[in-house]
Amino acid sequence: MLVKHCVISALTRSTSHSPSSTVLRRQQFLVRTLCASRTHLPKLIKAMSSTSEADAESVLRTVTPTLDPKRHKGQAGKIAVIGGCREYTGAPYFAAISALRIGTDLSHVFCTKDAAPVIKSYSPELIVHPVLEESYTISQFSEEEKRKVQDNVIGEVDKWMERFDCLVIGPGLGRDPFLLECVSKIMLLAKKFNVPFVVDGDALFLVTNSIDLVKSYPLAVLTPNVNEYKRLVQKVLNCEVDEEKAEDQLRSLAKQIGGVTILRKGKTDLISNGEIVKSVSIYGSPRRCGGQGDILSGSVAVFLSWAQQLKSGPESPSESPAILGCIAASGLLRKAASLAFTKHKRSTLTSDIIECLGESLEDICPVS
Amino acid sequence: MLVKHCVISALTRSTSHSPSSTVLRRQQFLVRTLCASRTHLPKLIKAMSSTSEADAESVLRTVTPTLDPKRHKGQAGKIAVIGGCREYTGAPYFAAISALRIGTDLSHVFCTKDAAPVIKSYSPELIVHPVLEESYTISQFSEEEKRKVQDNVIGEVDKWMERFDCLVIGPGLGRDPFLLECVSKIMLLAKKFNVPFVVDGDALFLVTNSIDLVKSYPLAVLTPNVNEYKRLVQKVLNCEVDEEKAEDQLRSLAKQIGGVTILRKGKTDLISNGEIVKSVSIYGSPRRCGGQGDILSGSVAVFLSWAQQLKSGPESPSESPAILGCIAASGLLRKAASLAFTKHKRSTLTSDIIECLGESLEDICPVS
């Protein structure tokens, strides 16, 4: 009762006080502290205190294209995931199948030879290319032979590159040095063809140690979780994460990397390209099963590529495709996670959330 | 209003005039010009003006056999898909499982050794033969050894060939030269045994470059999409696709290839064997996820083989089994795609459409 009273009181006063007033800020702090565990309150607090919350549903409606019977296969998007090794196969599958369930036409995966049969067997809908190599398969090779293998890997990706509307680089990639070296070259290739890419998982590890790979490429999106963000901040800004100045710090980080877009995942997702900062805090689900980040990276790729199409149209939005893609993906994932949780409760798995992507998008943005 | 008036007027008159009358034809031309962009009108116009729109539902009822408890396994059809390589495994699965879902008794896949375990893992219902070879597995072989491998491949297919009612050649075949050479020999084998075959995907690439493989074989059906059709027209007719004369050009193309049947896929499917031209334009779905062409090729194989059975019966239809197979398959796929889309909207995948094949066929042609 006390908690409820505090919130109501704070909300009432917020209408008659400027958001910066000391009284209001103290009340907000009190409410936040008291209500931290109350799942239905963050929205209220957010609506009251923040100016940066994005209208994710409106963005979803803006970027999602009308389905037109005259369009042919591929026009609603062609996505490729670079990831999947002997150890990890679920992550690239989650990213690639999420893209299809949202509505992209074709979803490819470029993974190692060992990972391919497994990823293929998850779904006949994906086109899986067994082209990447890990160190253990070439350990007996001379330096020249290794270079040849690397050239072959890049050649295999090269012949597909310009067909793709967006890449997702990193899900289930692992940290094999030879593989990561190939992935560096794939990033250069994507930049050469102006293909946007989302960097997640182990590719964030790669990028954190070689920031030039993405620096000043406006079509790069990084989607770090808490730990990945911490490492990025330490490496690029040379300091620790400061939650009190979360938005400013994110803006500085994105600016320092030359205006790439960063989606900092958390209870509230924060998105910045070094200029603006947007937040998405729609309530999702308390279930933290692994793989939700892969849904997000696959979703960003789809919405970014759809937003890119808008750019050339008559009603080009003012925000960048990367920002719009992040907002839309964050909003949809949260809605789908919430829906899956109402159905499956503690038992909710990542696959259940993926099954809810279509229904959630349809709810926000019906096909007719 | 003017458009509507014209249509109604033309429709009314069409009942009292012969279809060839000059007045009616002029009206039809006017209506077609005025209504070109009206998506709800083509059916009316079609019904009124064209002699070429097929009654797909009626064809489906004609060719689908009555289920008779006295019949034994195999009598409702034995289909084989030739396709599936290291890179592509989804396409042959979609074609083969579609054939089973429509009602064929046995569905085989002949694919490479690498593809077989994956395709097997999609479904225990399929019989998957790991008999094809790609160049990379025999790269160290001498010419003589390669010839031996090829002989073995053909031998493995040969021992099954005469049991099949129809083949689907091409889904997920890839473009490996050694593999395509083997597939050329499999086509010769099918012709020797008078087994009908549907040519799709990468086998169309093969056939376009070696048109003699299918020339004058009346049991061959080609199912090109926009790009595959373009290449066929360029190669065979030595000109570009002319949308204004779409039906005539298709007829010429089929005639030029010696009366094979061609199903030109598009917003409206056009079907010709060099003599007649039929169209199927039932509304399907605006979703263009990859794999729908594989459902179609598997379906053509089933309906063609069922139509072949009718030929020897007392009520042999006047159209060829290949034409009937194409009309039935096109109609059923469109109905199933439409049903899947009402259920899954943007989220619709090829597997969802396959799940709707049975319900769609039952709706048109109930078992009792």
Side-chain angles (χ1 to χ4, degrees):
Chain A
M1 275 308 290
L2 173 66
V3 173
K4 211 166 186 176
H5 175 73
C6 287
V7 175
I8 292 162
S9 156
L11 276 170
T12 316
R13 293 189 194 189
S14 74
T15 56
S16 55
H17 287 75
S18 109
S20 60
S21 90
T22 320
V23 176
L24 177 57
R25 269 188 289 122
R26 276 198 197 133
Q27 278 177 340
Q28 288 172 353
F29 176 71
L30 180 67
V31 170
R32 221 175 289 129
T33 313
L34 286 166
C35 309
S37 65
R38 301 255 163 167
T39 52
H40 60 291
L41 290 179
K43 266 190 189 174
L44 288 178
I45 298 164
K46 211 60 190 169
M48 178 184 65
S49 65
S50 171
T51 53
S52 68
E53 177 74 6
D55 183 352
E57 296 207 357
S58 159
V59 170
L60 277 160
R61 277 186 286 269
T62 303
V63 300
T64 304
T66 309
L67 281 172
D68 180 349
K70 279 177 277 178
R71 299 186 108 196
H72 58 75
K73 186 171 76 177
Q75 286 188 294
K78 299 176 291 294
I79 303 300
V81 177
I82 314 289
C85 61
R86 187 165 59 161
E87 201 151 15
Y88 307 114
T89 51
Y93 163 76
F94 287 143
I97 200 79
S98 296
L100 278 181
R101 280 290 180 199
I102 290 169
T104 201
D105 283 344
L106 292 163
S107 197
H108 294 243
V109 177
F110 291 81
C111 61
T112 70
K113 292 185 172 60
D114 285 332
V118 179
I119 300 174
K120 283 168 184 284
S121 75
Y122 293 147
S123 167
E125 317 278 351
L126 305 177
I127 301 164
V128 183
H129 306 269
V131 298
L132 304 182
E133 296 279 359
E134 288 180 81
S135 300
Y136 75 92
T137 59
I138 52 161
S139 57
Q140 309 300 319
F141 286 19
S142 69
E143 281 310 306
E144 202 193 316
E145 285 171 325
K146 283 181 187 174
R147 222 176 4 259
K148 209 176 261 178
V149 173
Q150 195 180 81
D151 289 347
N152 281 342
V153 170
I154 306 308
E156 288 294 325
V157 182
D158 190 9
K159 63 187 185 194
W160 288 92
M161 187 60 83
E162 62 179 330
R163 308 188 201 188
F164 296 129
D165 299 302
C166 192
L167 308 182
V168 184
I169 308 181
L173 197 59
R175 295 194 178 179
D176 179 78
F178 182 81
L179 182 49
L180 291 185
E181 214 180 305
C182 290
V183 171
S184 304
K185 298 243 155 64
I186 292 171
M187 284 187 188
L188 298 179
L189 204 61
K191 283 156 74 175
K192 192 180 109 186
F193 285 105
N194 269 317
V195 175
F197 56 76
V198 182
V199 182
D200 193 36
D202 294 313
L204 276 169
F205 166 81
L206 169 68
V207 158
T208 303
N209 294 324
S210 313
I211 210 76
D212 280 348
L213 283 171
V214 295
K215 199 164 187 174
S216 303
Y217 185 53
L219 300 177
V221 177
L222 318 186
T223 54
N225 63 19
V226 178
N227 289 326
E228 290 155 350
Y229 186 72
K230 192 177 158 190
R231 282 195 293 268
L232 258 178
V233 167
Q234 287 169 339
K235 191 82 181 187
V236 177
L237 298 181
N238 211 15
C239 65
E240 293 303 316
V241 173
D242 182 352
E243 289 302 342
E244 290 297 307
K245 296 177 187 164
E247 301 200 0
D248 286 342
Q249 194 172 43
L250 176 65
R251 187 188 286 110
S252 302
L253 181 65
K255 198 168 211 153
Q256 192 68 28
I257 314 178
V260 300
T261 298
I262 303 175
L263 192 172
R264 180 196 165 175
K265 296 181 281 195
K267 192 162 161 250
T268 290
D269 287 345
L270 286 178
I271 301 153
S272 181
N273 58 1
E275 300 290 331
I276 58 162
V277 183
K278 293 282 177 185
S279 65
V280 179
S281 58
I282 303 162
Y283 183 65
S285 142
R287 186 78 168 96
R288 293 288 172 267
C289 50
Q292 294 182 57
D294 306 309
I295 304 180
L296 186 74
S297 60
S299 309
V300 171
V302 178
F303 290 118
L304 190 164
S305 67
W306 285 351
Q308 282 268 91
Q309 290 181 1
L310 280 184
K311 244 183 81 178
S312 50
E315 288 170 20
S316 178
S318 57
E319 306 298 3
S320 76
I323 291 279
L324 293 174
C326 289
I327 294 169
S330 172
L332 182 67
L333 171 58
R334 283 160 181 264
K335 196 170 162 71
S338 165
L339 181 58
F341 189 73
T342 60
K343 292 182 183 181
H344 302 278
K345 301 292 185 320
R346 287 177 198 281
S347 193
T348 309
L349 300 185
T350 294
S351 303
D352 301 320
I353 301 173
I354 292 169
E355 284 308 304
C356 291
L357 287 170
E359 193 181 336
S360 303
L361 184 56
E362 182 62 19
D363 190 41
I364 296 166
C365 176
V367 285
S368 57
Chain B
M1 274 310 288
L2 173 68
V3 174
K4 213 166 185 177
H5 175 74
C6 288
V7 174
I8 293 162
S9 154
L11 274 169
T12 316
R13 294 188 193 188
S14 75
T15 56
S16 56
H17 288 74
S18 109
S20 61
S21 90
T22 320
V23 176
L24 177 58
R25 271 188 289 122
R26 276 198 197 133
Q27 279 177 340
Q28 288 171 352
F29 174 73
L30 180 67
V31 170
R32 219 176 291 131
T33 313
L34 286 167
C35 308
S37 63
R38 303 253 163 165
T39 51
H40 60 291
L41 290 178
K43 269 190 185 172
L44 286 178
I45 299 162
K46 221 56 186 167
M48 172 188 70
S49 67
S50 172
T51 51
S52 71
E53 176 73 6
D55 182 350
E57 296 207 359
S58 159
V59 170
L60 276 160
R61 277 187 286 270
T62 304
V63 300
T64 304
T66 309
L67 282 174
D68 180 349
K70 279 176 279 179
R71 299 186 106 196
H72 59 76
K73 185 172 77 178
Q75 286 189 294
K78 299 177 292 295
I79 302 301
V81 177
I82 314 291
C85 61
R86 185 166 61 161
E87 201 151 14
Y88 305 114
T89 51
Y93 163 74
F94 287 142
I97 201 76
S98 297
L100 277 181
R101 281 288 180 202
I102 290 168
T104 201
D105 284 342
L106 292 163
S107 197
H108 293 244
V109 177
F110 291 80
C111 61
T112 70
K113 292 185 172 61
D114 285 331
V118 178
I119 300 174
K120 285 169 184 284
S121 77
Y122 292 146
S123 168
E125 318 280 350
L126 305 177
I127 302 163
V128 183
H129 307 267
V131 299
L132 305 182
E133 296 279 358
E134 287 180 82
S135 301
Y136 76 95
T137 60
I138 52 160
S139 57
Q140 309 299 320
F141 288 17
S142 69
E143 282 309 307
E144 202 193 317
E145 286 170 325
K146 284 182 186 173
R147 223 175 3 259
K148 209 176 263 177
V149 172
Q150 195 180 83
D151 289 347
N152 281 342
V153 170
I154 306 308
E156 287 295 324
V157 182
D158 189 8
K159 63 188 183 194
W160 287 92
M161 187 59 83
E162 63 179 330
R163 308 188 201 186
F164 295 130
D165 299 302
C166 192
L167 307 182
V168 183
I169 308 181
L173 198 58
R175 294 194 178 179
D176 179 77
F178 182 81
L179 182 49
L180 291 184
E181 214 181 305
C182 289
V183 171
S184 303
K185 298 243 156 63
I186 294 172
M187 284 186 187
L188 300 178
L189 204 61
K191 283 156 76 175
K192 192 180 107 186
F193 285 105
N194 268 319
V195 175
F197 56 77
V198 181
V199 183
D200 193 35
D202 294 312
L204 275 170
F205 166 81
L206 169 69
V207 158
T208 303
N209 294 323
S210 313
I211 210 76
D212 281 348
L213 284 170
V214 295
K215 198 163 188 175
S216 303
Y217 185 53
L219 300 177
V221 177
L222 317 187
T223 53
N225 63 19
V226 178
N227 289 325
E228 290 155 350
Y229 186 72
K230 192 177 159 191
R231 282 195 292 268
L232 258 178
V233 167
Q234 287 169 339
K235 192 83 181 188
V236 177
L237 297 181
N238 211 15
C239 65
E240 294 303 317
V241 173
D242 183 351
E243 290 301 342
E244 293 294 306
K245 296 175 185 164
E247 303 201 359
D248 286 343
Q249 195 172 44
L250 176 65
R251 186 189 286 109
S252 302
L253 181 66
K255 198 168 211 152
Q256 191 70 25
I257 314 178
V260 299
T261 298
I262 303 174
L263 192 173
R264 180 195 165 174
K265 296 182 281 195
K267 195 168 159 240
T268 290
D269 287 343
L270 286 179
I271 301 153
S272 181
N273 57 1
E275 299 293 329
I276 58 161
V277 183
K278 292 282 177 186
S279 66
V280 179
S281 58
I282 303 162
Y283 184 64
S285 141
R287 185 78 167 98
R288 294 286 172 269
C289 49
Q292 295 183 57
D294 306 309
I295 304 180
L296 186 76
S297 60
S299 309
V300 171
V302 179
F303 290 118
L304 189 164
S305 67
W306 286 351
Q308 283 268 88
Q309 290 181 359
L310 281 183
K311 243 182 85 179
S312 49
E315 287 171 20
S316 176
S318 57
E319 306 297 4
S320 78
I323 290 280
L324 293 174
C326 289
I327 294 169
S330 171
L332 182 67
L333 171 58
R334 283 159 181 264
K335 197 171 162 70
S338 167
L339 181 59
F341 189 74
T342 60
K343 293 182 184 182
H344 301 279
K345 302 289 186 329
R346 286 177 198 282
S347 198
T348 308
L349 300 186
T350 296
S351 303
D352 301 320
I353 301 173
I354 292 171
E355 285 309 304
C356 290
L357 287 170
E359 192 180 336
S360 303
L361 185 55
E362 182 60 18
D363 189 43
I364 296 166
C365 177
V367 286
S368 59

